[in-house]
């Protein structure tokens, strides 16, 4: 297993639509392991493959409540939202590609998602609470969308400028 570098916004790769996965291979299983290790190390509750510059439709997440809870890692290949609730939920979201910036985003409170698992089988599940917020945030990454795209132009520009400054500082160090 290996830690991967997480891309920081703005980066053109974070704006691209990722490509469907065709086969569940050992390479893909190794990529999933790396993604989970990178997510837990960050730390985060989700990570999408484009965030580590792999333009494939795969995401990992673990929204198990507290630090002492048993880990509940999930790997979703080619996920698709098949149903959304009318009820909405607002959550203060963060993003590992936009460090230390948080903003309230309103999304459907419940979603049904289908995906292929690492077992090669098709899965279908309804998510609510933080799991619902997280899976929508991660699927957005696969479609080149960031949580700041839900904000007004001024707020989005302010965050983008902060990230440009952060990247300049990181490049200097
Ligand atoms: O996709 C990502 O960038 C990961 C992101 C997922 C996410 C967070 C909040 C709402 C929706 C989706 C994160 O994990 S940011 C870090 C974070 O939320 C967190 C970190 C440590 C403990 C608990 C949460
Ligand atoms: Zn994110």
């Amino acid at each position: 297993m290996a830690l991967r570098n997480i891309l920081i916004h703005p980066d053109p790769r974070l704006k691209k639509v990722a490509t469907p996965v065709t086969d569940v291979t050992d390479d893909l299983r190794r990529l999933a392991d790396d993604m989970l290790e990178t997510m837990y190390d960050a730390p985060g509750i989700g990570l999408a493959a484009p965030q580590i510059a792999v333009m494939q439709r795969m995401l990992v997440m673990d929204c198990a409540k507290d630090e002492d809870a048993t880990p509940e890692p999930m790997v979703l290949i080619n996920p698709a939202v098949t149903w959304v609730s009318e009820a909405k939920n607002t959550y203060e979201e963060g993003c590992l590609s936009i460090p230390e910036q948080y903003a309230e985003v309103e999304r459907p409170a419940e979603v049904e998602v289908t995906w292929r698992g690492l077992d090669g089988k098709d899965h279908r599940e309804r998510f609510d609470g933080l799991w619902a917020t997280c899976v929508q945030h991660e699927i957005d990454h696969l479609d080149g969308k960031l949580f700041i795209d839900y904000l007004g132009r001024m707020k989005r520009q302010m965050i983008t400028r902060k990230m440009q400054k952060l990247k300049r500082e990181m490049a200097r160090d």
Side-chain angles (χ1 to χ4, degrees):
M1 291 212 286
L3 285 180
R4 304 287 193 105
N5 239 0
I6 298 175
L7 299 178
I8 304 296
H9 167 72
D11 186 297
R13 289 165 289 187
L14 292 171
K15 303 302 296 173
K16 286 206 174 108
V17 177
T19 309
V21 172
T22 50
D23 297 302
V24 179
T25 61
D26 284 345
D27 277 351
L28 198 78
R29 288 190 188 90
R30 276 190 283 273
L31 172 64
D33 282 345
D34 286 358
M35 287 175 63
L36 282 166
E37 191 184 357
T38 304
M39 178 191 79
Y40 286 125
D41 178 75
I45 55 171
L47 188 71
Q51 291 180 276
I52 56 163
V54 175
M55 301 312 296
Q56 299 212 59
R57 298 187 78 80
M58 180 160 83
L59 65 87
V60 298
M61 58 179 184
D62 185 349
C63 303
K65 276 278 171 274
D66 51 78
E67 277 174 29
D68 302 331
T70 311
E72 292 178 45
M74 295 192 76
V75 179
L76 280 64
I77 299 161
N78 298 337
V81 175
T82 51
W83 171 85
V84 301
S85 64
E86 271 183 37
K88 308 280 189 214
N89 197 9
T90 301
Y91 194 87
E92 188 164 68
E93 297 192 15
C95 181
L96 298 176
S97 296
I98 311 177
E100 288 170 34
Q101 303 301 314
Y102 303 90
E104 288 196 339
V105 177
E106 187 187 77
R107 298 181 187 270
E110 278 185 75
V111 288
E112 185 181 81
V113 179
T114 59
W115 71 94
R116 180 148 297 171
L118 284 177
D119 54 7
K121 292 184 181 148
D122 292 332
H123 297 255
R124 176 185 300 269
E125 196 172 313
R126 213 173 254 211
F127 294 96
D128 62 11
L130 183 55
W131 288 93
T133 299
C134 188
V135 76
Q136 291 174 80
H137 175 117
E138 301 309 331
I139 292 173
D140 273 354
H141 274 302
L142 305 181
D143 292 325
K145 192 163 183 176
L146 300 171
F147 81 88
I148 57 170
D149 295 328
Y150 293 95
L151 310 179
R153 192 169 59 90
M154 296 290 277
K155 219 167 179 182
R156 190 168 59 246
Q157 275 183 356
M158 192 186 74
I159 290 175
T160 298
R161 288 195 186 114
K162 279 188 187 166
M163 291 300 103
Q164 284 166 330
K165 185 165 175 271
L166 175 71
K167 286 177 82 170
R168 279 198 301 273
E169 285 164 2
M170 283 163 57
R172 271 208 308 269
D173 297 339

